[in-house]
Amino acid sequence: MKKGLYCMLAWTGIKRNRRLYLPYILTCIGMVMMCYIISFLTAFPGFETMRGWGTMKTTLSLGFNVMCIFSLIFLFYTNSFLVRRRKKEFGLYNILGLGKKNLALVLLVETLMIYAIVISGGFAFGVLFSKLAELCVTYILGGSAGFTFAVDFASLYKTAGLFAVIFALIFLNTLRQIQLANPIELIKSEDVGEKPPRANWILAAAGAVVLGAAYYIAIRIEDPLSAITYFFLAVIMVIAATYVLFVAGSVAVCRLMQKNKEYYYKTSHFISVSSMAYRMKRNGAGLASICILCTMVLVMISSTVCLYAGAEDGLKNMYTRDINITGAAAGIEGLNADNRQKITDMVGRIAAENGAEEENTVDYRTAATAACISDGKLMLEDLVYAQDIKNISKAWQLFVIPVSDYNSMLGTNETLADDEAMIYATKGVSFDQNKIDIGGNEFTVVKTAEGFEDKGADTMQAIPSLYVFVNDFEAVVDALEQKAAETGISTSIGWYYKFDLGCSDDVQIQIYNQIVEAIQQTAEGEGEALHILVSSRANERMDFYGTYGGLLFLGVILGLVFVSATVLIIYYKQISEGYEDQKRFDIMQKVGMTKEEIKKSINSQVLTVFFAPLVMAGVHLAFAFPMVRKMLLLFGMANTELLTAVTAVCFLVFALFYAAVYRTTSRSYFSIVSGMRYEN
Amino acid sequence: MSILEVDAVKKIYTTRFGGNQVVALSNVNFRVEEGEYVAIMGESGSGKTTLLNIIAAFDKPTAGNVRLDGRELSNLKESEMAAFRRDNLGFVFQEFNLLDTFTLEDNIYLPMVLSGKSTAEMSKRMSFIAKQLGITELLKKYSYEVSGGQKQRAAVARALITEPKLILADEPTGSLDSKSTDELLELFSAINCDGQTILMVTHSVKAASHAGRVLFIKDGEVYHQLYRGESTGIEFYQKISDTLTMLTAGGDKR
C-alpha cells in the first residue's frame, strides 16, 4: 500500500513537471544513444579488417571519454535546475507530513523511473541507429557493409553502468540539497529578494583586456605546434574572458546606460535596461557556457568537415605523386649518379613488370635547412632567433638545388655562372634581395624561376620555402656542412624521385609493396649509402580517410551532443525567465503598460540575451579562424577558400538552427508569462 | 461634478467547465464627487475587488456602465486603455507591487516614463512629491532594503506622480503594521485635503473611518452608506463598526 503511494507520488511528480522533465529525459536518451553507438562502433568486429580503422578507433575511444565527462557535467547542471524549480513542491510535501526520509524515497523512485525510461529509450534508439552509424563508418572507410544487424551487449552494459553512476551521483546531490533546507525555506526558496547587481568595473575591464590579448595571440601565432603553450593559453584566456564579460561586463554596460538619464528614461529603454542587468547577473554564466559550446561546435564541425572535404587535396599536397621516393644521404657522396641510377632502374623494372609506366617524374637533389634570412644573408647561427615567435616572419625553409636537375626536370636550358643563382619562393611570399649569401658563398640572384614544386615538403610547414638553384651544388653543400659543424644546425642532403602511375589503386599498392621489398633486400645485401623511404598515395589514402573520416564522424556526433545541450540550456533559461517575469509582467500592466508594450520590451530583452552568445561565438570563431587555418595546414589542408566557405556555411546553418530553437522555446516562455490574472 | 459614475453594474462569472454562474456583482450604483474620499467595505467575497477591477478597467462588467470623468470605460479600446489608466488613475495595492529590479526612484518614475515625459519635468515632480511623502532619503534604495510602510509610501508616490483624477487603493493597509497604517492613513487624509479624490477598498474599520463616506457592499450590491459629516474619527469608527455588526448579524434592514 505504502509502496504504491511512493510510486504514485513519484509518477505524478514527473507528470506534473513534464514541461521540465520531457526535454531532460529526451536529452538523456540522446546521450545514452550516442554513448552506446560510439561504444558499439569501437567494439564492432566487422571493421577490424578495414584499412584506416586503427586510427579511427583511437579517435572514437577518445570521443567516448569526452562523452562520459560531458554527460556527467551537463546532466548535473540541468538537474540542479530541475531541483531548484521543484523545491516548493518538496517543501509542501514536507509540511504535509512527508518526512525527509520519505521524500528521499519518493525521489529515489523518481530517479529509478527516469533511469528506466532513459535507458530503455536510449537503447532502443541506440540499437536502431547503430546500424546507420555502422554504414556511415563503412562508407567513410570505403568498405562494403553487410546486412547483419548486431547488438553489442558489452556496450549495453557499459553504457547502462555509466549512466547508473551518473544518476546515482545526481540523486545524492539532490538529497544533499533537500537535506540542508528546512520546509519554510524550501517553500520560499523561489522568491528570495534579490540584491541588485553591482557593476564590477575592474572585472569588466579586465575581461575586455584579457579577451583582446587572447585575440592578439590567436592572430599572431604563426606555427600552432611550436607555440602550443600559447595556443592553449589563448583558448583558456578566451574562455575566462567570455565568462567575465558575460557576468560582469554586461552589468557594467547596463549601469553605464542607466547613468545616461536622457537615454535611460525613455519608454523603450527604461524597463529593458534595468531588467537586463538582473537577467545578465542571473544568466551570465549560463550564456557564457552557451557561447563557448557554440564556438566549440562551430570550430569542430567546420574544421572536420573541411578536413574531410579537402582530404583528397591534403593527400595530393602531402604526397605529390603516386609514388614518392625520398633518399637521405649522410654526405654529398651518397647522392652520386650510380646510387641514384640503381634505384631508378629497379623502380622502372618493377613498374614495367606490372604493366605501368612512370609519368610526371620529379627528380632532383637538394640540400635543405631552416634559415633566417636577413639582408640577403643566411643567418644560420641565428636559428634560435628564427624560432622566436616575433621573428617568425623572417624564417624560411631553404632548398638548394643544382640547376642541372632543374633543367632536366622542366626541360629548360638555364645556365648559371658559379656566383649566380636562380630562386623560387613559395606561399606567395616574394624574396626581394638581389644577393644571397649561403655560408660565405655569395650569389647574385639573376632570375626568378617560373615554377617549381610548391607542394610536398612545403605544404606541411607554415613558413615559406625558398628554392635556390645553383651551378656548383657541391660547393654550397660543403659550405653548409662546414657551417653545420660550427653551429650544430643540420643540413639534410637528399634526393627526391617521384612519379605518377597511370594504373588503378590496387596495382599502385602492389607496385609500392614490391618496391619496398626490393629496397629492403638491397639494403640488407649491400648496405645503403642512400637511405630510401617510399610512400604511395594510394596506400596512404585509406589511412587519410580513416583519420579524417573518424574525426568528421566524431565531430558531427559531439557537435550534435553539444548542440542538444545548448538547446536544453536555452529552453530551461526561457522557462525560468518566464516564471520570474510573470509577476513583473502583472505589475507593469497594473501601472499602465499595454500588453504590446510589455511584450515588445520583453521580446527585445530575451532577444538580446539569447543572441548575445551567438554573436560572441561568431566573433570568437572569426578570431580563431587564422589559428584553425594554420592547424589544418599541418594536416596538409591548405585550401583557405574551402575552409572559409565551410566555416561560413556552418555558422549560417547553426544560426538558423539557433533561431528556430529560440522561436519554439520563446513560445513556452510567453505562455508562462501570460498565464496570469488579467488575461483576456 | 461626479468624477466617477457607476451605474447598474453587474458582473457574472461563468466557471470554466459546466457553465455554473456566479454572481459577483448584481447591481451596483454609486457616484464619487471630485475631492471625495470614499471607502468601500464588505466581507470577503462580497465583490469589492471585482468592483475595483471593473473601475480600473482590468475587467469588463457583464452589464451596466462605468464613467470616469465623463468617459465611458467600455468604449475604450484595449490600446487606449493603458494610456487612459496611466493618465487618469493611480493605484495603491496591498502588496505594494513595486518592481524589484528598480530603485524606489525609478519605480515612482515608471508611469511618467511610460507617458514619455521629459526628464526635467519628471525630476521637478519627483522632488515635490518626495518631500510631501517624506521619502527623499529613500529614493536610491531598492524595495527589499526598506520597510513595508516606506514601500507603501513609494507606491503612493508612484500613484500620485501623474496627478491622476482618481486614486484607487486596494486594501492599502493590509500588509502594514499599526504604526505604518496610521502614517499611511494620515497621508491619505492629507492628500485628500489637497483635493485628491480617493476610492479605497478595505476591510479595516480604522482605515474606513478616515474616509468621508463609507459604502457597504453585500451580496454584490451597495447595501448601505454612511457619511462622516461632522462626527469625529472615533464617533465615525463607532458608526461603521455598528453597521458592520448589523450587516454580519444579518439584520434585515430593508
Side-chain angles (χ1 to χ4, degrees):
Chain A
M1 184 63 212
K2 238 182 150 188
K3 227 181 230 166
L5 179 71
Y6 288 132
C7 289
M8 197 199 72
L9 278 178
W11 183 239
T12 48
I14 298 172
K15 235 170 51 180
R16 266 184 357 104
N17 292 293
R18 61 180 173 279
R19 207 195 311 239
L20 299 176
Y21 272 97
L22 197 66
Y24 175 70
I25 289 175
L26 285 179
T27 315
C28 286
I29 288 180
M31 286 186 166
V32 171
M33 181 181 93
M34 294 297 187
C35 277
Y36 169 73
I37 289 178
I38 296 181
S39 170
F40 166 82
L41 289 178
T42 44
F44 189 66
F47 295 142
E48 293 300 336
T49 50
M50 287 186 200
R51 294 265 348 234
W53 170 240
T55 39
M56 187 146 172
K57 189 174 175 176
T58 324
T59 327
L60 283 179
S61 337
L62 202 73
F64 186 79
N65 295 338
V66 174
M67 274 294 305
C68 291
I69 296 168
F70 184 75
S71 303
L72 180 69
I73 296 174
F74 183 68
L75 294 182
F76 242 86
Y77 172 84
T78 40
N79 191 264
S80 73
F81 176 88
L82 292 180
V83 173
R84 204 161 53 229
R85 282 252 76 90
R86 292 190 61 194
K87 272 190 177 166
K88 202 171 196 160
E89 187 184 332
F90 296 148
L92 192 63
Y93 280 152
N94 210 332
I95 285 175
L96 291 178
L98 220 58
K100 287 206 169 141
K101 220 175 229 165
N102 309 70
L103 208 54
L105 259 167
V106 174
L107 281 175
L108 179 68
V109 178
E110 260 188 46
T111 311
L112 287 177
M113 280 175 174
I114 293 177
Y115 180 72
I117 297 172
V118 162
I119 286 291
S120 47
F123 283 171
F125 285 109
V127 169
L128 212 65
F129 285 111
S130 63
K131 184 68 190 173
L132 186 71
E134 183 200 320
L135 291 175
C136 277
V137 173
T138 317
Y139 173 77
I140 287 170
L141 295 177
S144 54
F147 290 96
T148 51
F149 194 88
V151 176
D152 181 32
F153 285 98
S155 295
L156 286 184
Y157 297 144
K158 196 160 127 193
T159 313
L162 172 72
F163 276 84
V165 172
I166 293 178
F167 271 72
L169 287 174
I170 289 174
F171 172 65
L172 289 176
N173 188 42
T174 313
L175 279 194
R176 189 182 58 88
Q177 275 174 294
I178 298 216
Q179 216 67 40
L180 287 177
N182 73 44
I184 302 299
E185 271 172 36
L186 283 179
I187 280 194
K188 283 196 173 161
S189 60
E190 267 186 35
D191 7 74
V192 193
E194 200 183 359
K195 287 194 176 172
R198 301 250 178 258
N200 191 335
W201 299 99
I202 302 168
L203 210 59
V209 169
V210 168
L211 189 66
Y215 282 167
Y216 180 76
I217 294 178
I219 294 175
R220 286 305 299 267
I221 284 182
E222 289 284 345
D223 179 2
L225 263 200
S226 63
I228 195 105
T229 40
Y230 282 106
F231 171 74
F232 276 111
L233 187 71
V235 171
I236 289 168
M237 277 163 79
V238 166
I239 292 178
T242 307
Y243 275 97
V244 170
L245 278 182
F246 269 104
V247 175
S250 52
V251 175
V253 170
C254 288
R255 286 282 172 257
L256 214 60
M257 289 200 251
Q258 276 176 323
K259 285 220 169 114
N260 182 350
K261 291 236 180 316
E262 288 297 325
Y263 174 86
Y264 178 47
Y265 290 120
K266 289 273 171 299
T267 316
S268 45
H269 306 146
F270 191 54
I271 308 259
S272 311
V273 170
S274 67
S275 349
M276 268 306 270
Y278 276 84
R279 247 176 240 273
M280 292 313 286
K281 182 193 161 211
R282 276 194 303 263
N283 297 325
L287 293 177
S289 311
I290 294 181
C291 174
I292 287 165
L293 280 177
C294 289
T295 316
M296 268 159 56
V297 168
L298 286 170
V299 168
M300 207 160 55
I301 302 265
S302 54
S303 53
T304 48
V305 166
C306 189
L307 270 183
Y308 189 73
E312 202 56 44
D313 256 18
L315 201 62
K316 281 193 178 131
N317 284 340
M318 273 206 206
Y319 307 100
T320 49
R321 296 288 186 271
D322 285 345
I323 299 283
N324 305 275
I325 295 172
T326 321
I332 190 82
E333 258 315 292
L335 288 186
N336 67 34
D338 273 0
N339 285 349
R340 285 183 282 138
Q341 192 66 40
K342 239 186 272 172
I343 305 286
T344 47
D345 284 351
M346 179 189 73
V347 171
R349 181 171 42 78
I350 293 172
E353 277 170 14
N354 288 286
E357 207 173 316
E358 295 173 28
E359 298 160 6
N360 298 328
T361 311
V362 171
D363 180 351
Y364 64 92
R365 289 162 288 164
T366 179
T369 185
C372 193
I373 298 173
S374 174
D375 293 332
K377 196 165 152 46
L378 216 54
M379 314 275 282
L380 286 173
E381 306 81 5
D382 280 341
L383 208 58
V384 184
Y385 168 80
Q387 275 165 349
D388 191 333
I389 189 166
K390 288 196 297 287
N391 303 313
I392 197 85
S393 54
K394 291 178 192 156
W396 294 81
Q397 273 196 115
L398 181 82
F399 295 96
V400 181
I401 295 162
V403 73
S404 55
D405 288 5
Y406 176 84
N407 283 334
S408 64
M409 231 176 90
L410 296 175
T412 51
N413 196 15
E414 304 284 351
T415 47
L416 295 170
D418 279 357
D419 61 348
E420 286 176 342
M422 190 165 73
I423 59 161
Y424 178 68
T426 60
K427 294 201 168 70
V429 183
S430 64
F431 182 77
D432 48 6
Q433 310 284 336
N434 48 18
K435 285 224 184 316
I436 181 164
D437 182 317
I438 301 174
N441 298 16
E442 198 177 69
F443 296 98
T444 312
V445 177
V446 291
K447 199 176 172 189
T448 301
E450 268 155 34
F452 199 67
E453 261 210 329
D454 36 13
K455 297 275 164 62
D458 178 58
T459 320
M460 280 178 272
Q461 290 290 338
I463 54 173
S465 305
L466 183 66
Y467 293 94
V468 180
F469 305 100
V470 296
N471 190 31
D472 192 352
F473 181 59
E474 288 174 22
V476 180
V477 171
D478 279 347
L480 280 174
E481 281 191 320
Q482 210 173 342
K483 206 79 192 169
E486 287 167 24
T487 59
I489 295 161
S490 66
T491 299
S492 48
I493 302 162
W495 169 55
Y496 289 105
Y497 182 58
K498 314 172 186 183
F499 51 87
D500 282 338
L501 291 164
C503 57
S504 71
D505 278 14
D506 288 341
V507 180
Q508 286 183 28
I509 292 174
Q510 196 178 323
I511 294 174
Y512 162 76
N513 287 333
Q514 288 175 6
I515 295 175
V516 171
E517 205 177 318
I519 284 172
Q520 226 164 15
Q521 277 171 7
T522 347
E524 277 165 17
E526 306 169 17
E528 50 178 2
L530 198 57
H531 180 67
I532 301 288
L533 286 172
V534 190
S535 58
S536 149
R537 195 194 286 163
N539 188 47
E540 300 298 334
R541 183 169 283 128
M542 299 319 299
D543 275 339
F544 246 69
Y545 279 95
T547 313
Y548 294 173
L551 282 175
L552 174 70
F553 190 70
L554 206 64
V556 169
I557 281 194
L558 288 183
L560 278 178
V561 171
F562 288 165
V563 162
S564 54
T566 316
V567 171
L568 203 62
I569 296 179
I570 293 177
Y571 179 78
Y572 282 144
K573 284 248 159 297
Q574 293 266 40
I575 292 209
S576 60
E577 301 261 290
Y579 285 120
E580 277 155 11
D581 287 340
Q582 207 171 350
K583 191 149 182 268
R584 284 188 204 114
F585 199 98
D586 204 18
I587 296 175
M588 285 183 217
Q589 210 173 12
K590 279 181 185 162
V591 296
M593 265 179 109
T594 60
K595 263 193 173 161
E596 277 62 44
E597 277 173 326
I598 301 173
K599 213 161 178 172
K600 227 167 79 187
S601 149
I602 288 186
N603 222 344
S604 83
Q605 294 171 48
V606 173
L607 216 66
T608 319
V609 164
F610 285 98
F611 283 90
L614 187 66
V615 171
M616 191 88 166
V619 176
H620 283 347
L621 190 67
F623 278 96
F625 186 81
M627 198 134 79
V628 171
R629 190 179 67 82
K630 282 162 196 157
M631 282 216 277
L632 292 186
L633 221 53
L634 300 176
F635 288 93
M637 166 67 223
N639 194 338
T640 308
E641 289 88 58
L642 179 68
L643 179 62
T644 317
V646 166
T647 310
V649 168
C650 278
F651 187 76
L652 221 67
V653 170
F654 189 78
L656 281 177
F657 175 78
Y658 195 94
V661 169
Y662 162 75
R663 271 195 68 84
T664 23
T665 54
S666 67
R667 223 167 275 153
S668 322
Y669 170 84
F670 277 113
S671 84
I672 292 171
V673 166
S674 41
M676 39 166 221
R677 248 168 69 200
Y678 302 113
E679 180 72 353
N680 291 335
Chain B
M1 181 207 157
S2 299
I3 203 148
L4 178 73
E5 299 164 58
V6 178
D7 282 329
V9 165
K10 190 174 191 177
K11 179 72 186 176
I12 298 172
Y13 287 109
T14 309
T15 45
R16 216 158 132 207
F17 306 106
N20 276 348
Q21 294 200 325
V22 179
V23 180
L25 298 173
S26 53
N27 182 17
V28 178
N29 295 287
F30 69 92
R31 259 148 235 272
V32 177
E33 304 303 321
E34 198 165 345
E36 252 198 309
Y37 183 179
V38 178
I40 298 177
M41 292 198 82
E43 285 185 63
S44 307
S46 60
K48 298 186 306 266
T49 306
T50 307
L51 180 61
L52 202 68
N53 283 342
I54 287 174
I55 294 171
F58 288 133
D59 213 344
K60 287 199 163 71
T62 316
N65 43 48
V66 178
R67 269 188 303 280
L68 187 69
D69 203 22
R71 288 192 71 176
E72 176 72 47
L73 287 189
S74 51
N75 289 347
L76 287 172
K77 286 190 214 121
E78 166 73 27
S79 51
E80 299 168 327
M81 200 70 91
F84 178 79
R85 214 179 275 152
R86 212 155 54 206
D87 296 338
N88 298 293
L89 297 171
F91 293 93
V92 180
F93 305 93
Q94 178 178 356
E95 298 292 339
F96 320 128
N97 276 346
L98 296 174
L99 289 167
D100 52 2
T101 51
F102 283 133
T103 56
L104 294 187
E105 182 180 32
D106 286 350
N107 262 298
I108 297 168
Y109 276 146
L110 184 64
M112 292 200 95
V113 172
L114 292 177
S115 320
K117 296 283 186 321
S118 73
T119 39
E121 192 185 340
M122 279 163 54
S123 52
K124 206 176 112 202
R125 228 14 235 149
M126 173 66 90
S127 58
F128 175 71
I129 283 193
K131 204 179 286 167
Q132 192 186 10
L133 302 192
I135 50 171
T136 315
E137 308 297 310
L138 304 172
L139 289 179
K140 294 290 171 203
K141 295 217 154 113
Y142 282 84
S143 65
Y144 75 97
E145 292 173 309
V146 300
S147 74
Q150 290 168 329
K151 273 187 217 172
Q152 196 59 298
R153 264 187 282 163
V156 172
R158 181 178 64 188
L160 285 176
I161 198 156
T162 52
E163 305 181 289
K165 301 211 167 62
L166 178 65
I167 293 265
L168 293 175
D170 188 359
E171 300 274 9
T173 58
S175 305
L176 300 179
D177 59 37
S178 65
K179 187 165 166 279
S180 305
T181 300
D182 287 345
E183 281 171 9
L184 184 80
L185 290 173
E186 265 155 40
L187 186 67
F188 270 24
S189 299
I191 58 176
N192 178 240
C193 277
D194 291 345
Q196 177 67 57
T197 319
I198 301 173
L199 180 65
M200 170 171 70
V201 163
T202 186
H203 251 112
S204 154
V205 178
K206 189 183 192 176
S209 71
H210 279 71
R213 175 157 64 117
V214 182
L215 298 173
F216 296 90
I217 290 197
K218 194 183 175 189
D219 300 330
E221 48 189 309
V222 178
Y223 190 77
H224 185 54
Q225 63 173 335
L226 284 177
Y227 278 93
R228 183 188 181 112
E230 296 301 313
S231 41
T232 62
I234 297 172
E235 283 166 2
F236 197 40
Y237 184 100
Q238 197 55 52
K239 273 192 201 167
I240 296 167
S241 189
D242 290 347
T243 311
L244 278 180
T245 316
M246 197 176 63
L247 282 176
T248 20
D252 1 48
K253 195 181 168 213
R254 253 189 292 195

